[in-house]
Amino acid sequence: MPDFMLKEMPASCWNEAVPLGNGKIGALIFGGIFREKMVLNHEKLFNCSKAETPGPVYMNMDRIRNLILEGSYKEAEEIYTRSIKEAGTGHLKIDSYQPFAFMFIGQSIKKVFTDYSFKLDFNKAFTEISWKEGEVSLKRSTFISYDKDVICICLEADRKGYINARVNIEGGSGAKGLLETSLETDDDFLIYKAKYPNGLNHGAVAYMRNIGGSRYHDKDNIRVKDADKVYVFVKLYMWEDDGKAVKRIKKDIVKCDYNVLFRSHKKKWKELYGKLTLDIGQSNRPVTNEMLLSKSYNSIASKQIVHTMFNYGRYLLISSSKKGGLPANLQGLWNGEYNPAWSSDYHLDENIQMNYWPALVSGLNDCMMPFYDYFDSYTEDYKENAKRIYNARGILMPLAQTTHGKTDSYWISAAGWMAAHYFDYWLFTGDDNFLENRVIPYMSNIIDFYEDYLTIEKDGKYVFVPSYSPENTPSVPNASSMCLNATMDVAIAKEVICNMIYACEYLGIKKEEVVKWKKMQGKMPEYMINEDGAFKEWLHEDLKDNYNHRHQSHIYPVFPGFEITKENDSVNYAAICKAVEKRLFVGFSDQTGWSYAHMANIYARLENGSRAYECLSNLVRSCVKSNLFTYHNDWRGQGVTTDWFAGNPPFQIDANFGFTAAVLEMLIFSKPGFIRILPAIVPDWNKGTVKGLCTRCACTADIDWNLTEKHITIKLVPLKDASIEIEIPMGFCTAECSGCVLVSHRENRYITVILDKGKQSVINICI
């Protein structure tokens, strides 16, 4: 049965509508019969403003550092804030992501409806709304052509001459005073134009084609009467002369053939969505989202909603991130407000990373390219930041951004966190060209910054100052988020330098620099453990941890990094387990939708499947609505999350992606030369199959398991010759392989195999 979701009723607001997207253009479908509303989106439509460059602030940095080292954290932050203000912040506004337009389709209703159904097919990126009026069956189908950027709509009935409909496009009430809009109509076309005060414009052309009946127009609509079937095609344009754009689109859009476009669209979509399949024994009986959510409200999430949410995350990523375009923002591609929460921006202290955690594991390599292209495009802004704030070479990224990369933030680790995603692309794909020409130049800029930023204390170790652990503050007098030696800052610096050494030694380049970088590694502060046995968030004895917080940045060495594992550092690994438990049980009411997703990923990495499942269940119970979008916090006020936004929290897509990533983490973990199979499987998933997993060993993996019958089959296909150690966490009695060489096994948990490039190897495990 194909993957899909069903809604019982139409949406009443945009953030409960059903999303369509082709990676560049999006639509939110409300699902109405008499009056259908669609929010149209375009990935590039931000309310752009000019970002001027403020003056430097590094002249006060030595004083700020000395105050922090003395423990005067709040005073240091006050001086920094004053320095920024005195430098003239210019215009560093984060420009808001904008709705493109609002489209309405009206249909004449002749009898009260029955048999209403609203379906989104993940396999085809296609919505279908169907209903009956007496004996007449009707449906409205919509997709956004993946390769032609056309919104395609079909209205049909099984009785000839039954359809009377109209189409309208407008800017919406929120556009008043913000931009100018206009509408032109004739019997064939509807032309919408919009312009901001800065002169940037955008527009849309809708074309209606009817089978049978007649077509006509009035001031605000194109209409059909007594038609057998109606097609509507819509194309968008941006930052182009209106006259030229409309002329070009009119010429193209009249040639559109719904069926031809749909065949091409389905083929390309299935190539992407079909890369991975999962079966955890879920029911395939059609059940609406509302029923799935209701069933999971007072208990753990059902297998069926987990399976649906897992596939929905992959669907949303393909829909909102396309090679050649922009990365998925805080709301992916979808927005119905002119002033969205956090500008629907790119948050670099957690959220954009979570958006892309599932991409490479799912084989969606092309979906990752906008991520790299976007951040590479702002390199000069990042260099300007490093110079202006720290008088340093290299790059310094903002905490959040949209249309420029300038910042007043002193946080140093955004660029390094992004570097993990760059390096991962090479690990997953084995693309040496990408490693040499994109990863190494990017990481070189980060290391240049570290060389100028880091100072050495009396003990010969580096001190990270000022330092920041997003978005937390230590429990000390005179506290400030500006302090020193945040564990995350240290962990990310170590990771970047380690990966750079690994890459350069692999390519046989930069040999003198490698010697220098190895010396830098030896000067890094050591990790610390609190008196209660928990991994410490700030590597300084005077800075006490604050457990009541949603961020868990200090867990970075285990997740999303993999510096610390149970195999290589059991002491710190146990301390991290303790720190995570403290966060959940002391600060569970300080969690959010995305933090539950983050915590589920951490627990999966720690091989605690029951806790991971509990976090996913809490997310479903508290922060998911009927279209399965995830929200910042629980709008019901049940105390499961923070109680922000007065019961009306914003949609945030990061937890949708984080949910998918967590399920993947429960199924497989990998690092170079190592794969852990089913590390956080739960008893409810005792039998299942997953096909198409990708690993950091540049190797794909299919897993078929039946834990009741004590059998696991693993199929591996490497992109290059490889030696891989594999752990079966539950242990095994026998391990046999074909198509590869089993060179060793130990502890009845680990085996090492030699794989040949492109050749499938099958490993049969009896547990």
Side-chain angles (χ1 to χ4, degrees), residues 542-579:
D542 295 339
L543 295 175
K544 306 301 181 184
D545 280 14
N546 171 26
Y547 293 131
N548 292 75
H549 204 269
R550 62 201 172 279
H551 277 265
Q552 299 195 69
S553 304
H554 59 310
I555 308 302
Y556 190 97
V558 159
F559 180 86
F562 46 84
E563 174 194 355
I564 294 174
T565 66
K566 66 183 182 183
E567 287 86 5
N568 66 17
D569 190 345
S570 60
V571 173
N572 278 318
Y573 183 86
I576 286 174
C577 291
K578 181 79 169 181

Side-chain angles (χ1 to χ4, degrees), residues 175-187:
K176 293 176 182 177
L178 184 64
L179 69 164
E180 295 180 357
T181 65
S182 66
L183 193 66
E184 303 169 17
T185 61
D186 61 32
D187 284 357

Side-chain angles (χ1 to χ4, degrees), residues 71-116:
S72 300
Y73 309 113
K74 189 172 287 294
E75 184 180 351
E77 186 174 40
E78 288 171 353
I79 291 173
Y80 182 80
T81 302
R82 189 163 61 246
S83 299
I84 289 292
K85 189 174 182 179
E86 290 171 354
T89 58
H91 188 69
L92 294 183
K93 173 177 172 281
I94 297 176
D95 295 330
S96 293
Y97 186 52
Q98 303 281 276
F100 193 95
F102 297 82
M103 180 173 171
F104 297 88
I105 299 174
Q107 284 189 241
S108 297
I109 302 303
K110 300 176 183 178
K111 291 186 179 180
V112 174
F113 73 90
T114 59
D115 300 343
Y116 176 87

Side-chain angles (χ1 to χ4, degrees), residues 372-390:
Y372 309 124
D373 293 343
Y374 176 79
F375 291 114
D376 283 352
S377 72
Y378 290 109
T379 298
E380 293 308 310
D381 281 0
Y382 302 151
K383 287 183 176 180
E384 176 189 292
N385 297 335
K387 180 66 177 177
R388 184 169 59 86
I389 294 175
Y390 286 108

Side-chain angles (χ1 to χ4, degrees), residues 32-68:
I33 295 173
F34 174 70
R35 183 181 63 253
E36 171 65 287
K37 183 177 181 179
M38 298 184 186
V39 183
L40 307 184
N41 291 116
H42 191 293
E43 62 173 358
K44 292 182 180 179
L45 187 55
F46 291 85
N47 187 4
C48 298
S49 58
K50 183 179 179 182
E52 299 171 2
T53 302
V57 297
Y58 61 78
M59 297 82 67
N60 291 322
M61 192 54 69
D62 284 346
R63 184 182 175 196
I64 290 167
R65 282 173 163 153
N66 288 333
L67 285 168
I68 292 172

Side-chain angles (χ1 to χ4, degrees), residues 131-199:
W131 69 97
K132 279 189 173 183
E133 296 178 16
E135 298 300 316
V136 181
S137 296
L138 300 97
K139 64 181 177 180
R140 184 188 310 126
S141 307
T142 308
F143 69 96
I144 303 176
S145 168
Y146 191 84
D147 45 356
K148 299 297 183 182
D149 294 338
V150 185
I151 302 168
C152 305
I153 305 163
C154 177
L155 288 62
E156 54 188 313
D158 64 359
R159 179 179 295 177
K160 289 190 174 183
Y162 196 84
I163 299 174
N164 297 305
R166 66 180 182 88
V167 177
N168 166 264
I169 301 177
E170 63 179 49
S173 59
K176 293 176 182 177
L178 184 64
L179 69 164
E180 295 180 357
T181 65
S182 66
L183 193 66
E184 303 169 17
T185 61
D186 61 32
D187 284 357
D188 298 321
F189 299 101
L190 186 70
I191 300 164
Y192 170 79
K193 299 175 183 177
K195 182 177 289 187
Y196 287 91
N198 61 9

Side-chain angles (χ1 to χ4, degrees), residues 60 73 185 212 220 287 342 476 503 593 605 666 701 715:
N60 291 322
Y73 309 113
T185 61
D220 298 319
V287 179
W342 295 290
V476 294
R605 187 65 64 88
M666 293 168 79
K715 296 179 181 178

Side-chain angles (χ1 to χ4, degrees), residues 179-236:
L179 69 164
E180 295 180 357
T181 65
S182 66
L183 193 66
E184 303 169 17
T185 61
D186 61 32
D187 284 357
D188 298 321
F189 299 101
L190 186 70
I191 300 164
Y192 170 79
K193 299 175 183 177
K195 182 177 289 187
Y196 287 91
N198 61 9
L200 291 177
N201 70 313
H202 61 276
V205 179
Y207 169 63
M208 182 181 278
R209 178 185 300 138
N210 54 298
I211 308 298
S214 58
R215 186 169 66 248
Y216 61 104
H217 75 281
D218 57 33
K219 180 183 176 183
D220 298 319
N221 306 274
I222 44 176
R223 296 178 177 269
V224 294
K225 183 179 180 181
D226 300 334
D228 305 335
K229 183 180 288 190
V230 177
Y231 297 106
V232 181
F233 302 100
V234 185
K235 292 203 74 171
L236 313 183

